Amino acid sequence: MLYTRWHRYTQHVQQHVFLTAGRQHINGVQLYYERTGIGKHAVLLIPGALGSTLTDFGPQLKSLNKEMFTIVGFDPRGYGRSRPPERDFPPNFFERDAKDAVDLMKALGFSRFSLLGWSDGGITGLVLAARNPELIHKMVVWGSNAYVSQQDLSIYHAISDVSKWSARMRKPMEDMYGAEVFPKIWKAWVDGISQFTHRPEGSICMELLPHICCPSLIIHGEKDPMVPSFHPQYLLKHIKGSRLHVNPEGKHNLHLRFATEFNKMVEDFLDE
């Protein structure tokens, strides 16, 4: 009898620990998502520009503690496997992504969750946490900014021509979008993120930061070529009670390059 019960339990655990994938109709589009884990603490992963669960969060979906957390990754509308529609960048695209993310988690049955947001996904996370304080347990963001400076604009324009990227950097995006479509979407993103320079102080969501009340961990790679160090310092100053961890060797994709260290830090923070 004991063996039978244990066998049924392990079958139940295995069934839910293995990654499952699906699509959910949200705000007029079909959003692709992946889900793994059986923990009571739900965690949403929000990818960066043109990103997806496949390109952005492999080590997290694979290795974050699946007994402690239920982990959900999704492809924002127009990205990855959430196409159609083709991606566009209206002035409210971060707000739109934040609403999509909230409504997806509600549709999946989560009334409260934590979030991990990388790069653009971190910006979406900032908006989401500020707009929905009652929903967010904790937040981790890295490679993110609340405004676009002239220095940022120079960085974006310097990388707008993907033909100048290394083949290794292009490959994941070309595999996802195709060699002809990827440059067009990337150029549209550069134009989309650049439009914030027309706002006062280049604000993307500066005015929202004081409304974030969840415990927040900001992570920064000291060698990040995309996000100057004044951005995490600004977030630290304006998000009440937040803390900052700097990885001295980290670049923009530090969660992939230093996945074991990153995952352990995140697990410890979420479990506090």
Side-chain angles (χ1 to χ4, degrees):
M1 178 67 72
L2 181 60
Y3 170 80
T4 301
R5 287 177 178 172
W6 175 250
H7 181 65
R8 287 175 179 170
Y9 172 75
T10 54
Q11 282 185 321
H12 172 77
V13 169
Q14 289 172 351
Q15 179 182 358
H16 290 82
V17 166
F18 290 141
L19 185 145
T20 60
R23 285 181 170 82
Q24 188 77 35
H25 187 78
I26 302 293
N27 299 325
V29 300
Q30 294 286 335
L31 292 183
Y32 175 86
Y33 69 92
E34 296 182 353
R35 174 175 176 172
T36 185
I38 58 171
K40 294 182 179 180
H41 190 153
V43 180
L44 175 65
L45 311 178
I46 311 179
L50 279 67
S52 66
T53 58
L54 178 66
T55 58
D56 290 13
F57 289 120
Q60 284 67 53
L61 286 163
K62 179 181 178 181
S63 300
L64 283 173
N65 190 315
K66 293 177 176 56
E67 293 185 0
M68 188 181 301
F69 307 112
T70 294
I71 305 148
V72 178
F74 83 112
D75 297 2
R77 65 169 66 205
Y79 285 166
R81 288 157 287 190
S82 292
R83 296 176 295 148
E86 291 306 311
R87 180 71 181 196
D88 62 351
F89 298 92
N92 69 334
F93 72 89
F94 284 115
E95 298 268 0
R96 183 181 64 183
D97 286 346
K99 179 170 174 32
D100 284 348
V102 166
D103 292 345
L104 172 64
M105 291 299 279
K106 288 181 177 178
L108 294 178
F110 300 106
S111 59
R112 188 169 169 81
F113 55 93
S114 293
L115 60 87
L116 308 184
W118 176 39
S119 195
D120 268 23
I123 301 173
T124 299
L126 297 172
V127 174
L128 194 164
R131 296 289 192 198
N132 306 273
E134 74 286 356
L135 300 181
I136 306 306
H137 182 46
K138 293 186 177 183
M139 177 177 68
V140 183
V141 296
W142 66 105
S144 304
N145 47 300
Y147 62 94
V148 177
S149 70
Q150 289 302 311
Q151 183 174 339
D152 299 317
L153 197 62
S154 297
I155 293 171
Y156 303 149
H157 288 165
I159 60 173
S160 63
D161 183 355
V162 299
S163 69
K164 297 179 181 178
W165 294 18
S166 69
R168 181 182 63 84
M169 293 296 292
R170 289 197 310 269
K171 188 178 187 308
M173 292 301 180
E174 290 179 344
D175 288 348
M176 178 67 72
Y177 296 103
E180 293 186 1
V181 174
F182 164 51
K184 296 176 182 177
I185 301 178
W186 183 255
K187 177 61 166 59
W189 175 81
V190 171
D191 292 342
I193 196 72
S194 298
Q195 68 185 306
F196 293 102
T197 58
H198 302 301
R199 293 184 176 181
E201 299 182 88
S203 176
I204 303 173
C205 59
M206 295 167 67
E207 68 284 355
L208 296 180
L209 300 185
H211 299 291
I212 297 173
C213 56
C214 63
S216 300
L217 173 62
I218 303 155
I219 303 174
H220 181 65
E222 195 166 317
K223 296 182 179 180
D224 189 337
M226 288 285 293
V227 180
S229 60
F230 52 77
H231 284 303
Q233 292 293 340
Y234 185 90
L235 297 180
L236 179 67
K237 180 178 179 180
H238 291 89
I239 299 176
K240 185 178 180 180
S242 61
R243 69 182 81 165
L244 172 64
H245 173 82
V246 177
N247 182 320
E249 297 299 319
K251 296 184 180 180
H252 196 58
N253 64 345
L254 60 88
H255 66 299
L256 303 177
R257 174 66 177 82
F258 301 100
T260 300
E261 174 188 340
F262 176 88
N263 287 355
K264 178 65 164 58
M265 185 189 317
V266 166
E267 288 175 351
D268 290 347
F269 172 71
L270 294 180
D271 193 42
E272 286 178 357

